[in-house]
């Protein structure tokens, strides 16, 4: 199992990233698709951002198509899909209370 590499400021995937990652939830080994629901190749920036955030990892090298990244969902990716991001109002209230103490 790869170590989660959660870099960057986003704690949750964008809508496009989450849609791609969700497709790995029901696949054997968490395999992520190379193509979207319309048969179009998943955009490289989407894949790269998910890899950088640690939500996906390279699974294996495809010798027939070496430029295709075969990826799978990581535990961090599953967590990012199921853990809600804190509400900004709650964060602001916590910050104000901390400032008052």
């Amino acid at each position: 199992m790869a170590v989660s590499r959660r870099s960057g400021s986003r704690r949750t995937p964008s809508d496009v990233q989450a849609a791609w990652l969700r497709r790995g939830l029901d696949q054997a080994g968490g395999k992520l698709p190379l193509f979207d629901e319309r048969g179009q190749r998943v955009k490289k920036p989407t894949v790269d951002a998910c890899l950088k955030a640690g939500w996906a990892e390279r699974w294996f090298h495809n010798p027939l198509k070496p430029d295709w990244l075969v990826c799978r969902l990581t535990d961090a990716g599953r967590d990012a899909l199921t853990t809600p991001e804190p509400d900004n109002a709650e964060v602001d209230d916590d910050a104000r209370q901390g400032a008052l103490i």
Side-chain angles (χ1 to χ4, degrees), residues 12-25:
T12 58
S14 70
D15 292 342
V16 171
Q17 293 164 348
W20 181 60
L21 293 169
R22 268 190 219 98
R23 294 187 61 207
L25 288 172

Side-chain angles (χ1 to χ4, degrees), residues 31-75:
K31 183 184 180 299
L32 292 164
L34 297 171
F35 300 92
D36 65 16
E37 297 85 3
R38 297 179 308 264
Q40 301 299 307
R41 198 160 157 199
V42 174
K43 295 187 184 313
K44 187 167 177 14
T46 299
V47 175
D48 289 343
C50 290
L51 289 170
K52 183 177 179 184
W55 300 323
E57 65 185 358
R58 279 194 78 147
W59 197 354
F60 60 85
H61 179 72
N62 183 344
L64 298 176
K65 295 285 188 177
D67 58 323
W68 287 6
L69 293 175
V70 179
C71 300
R72 67 177 167 186
L73 189 61
T74 63
D75 290 338

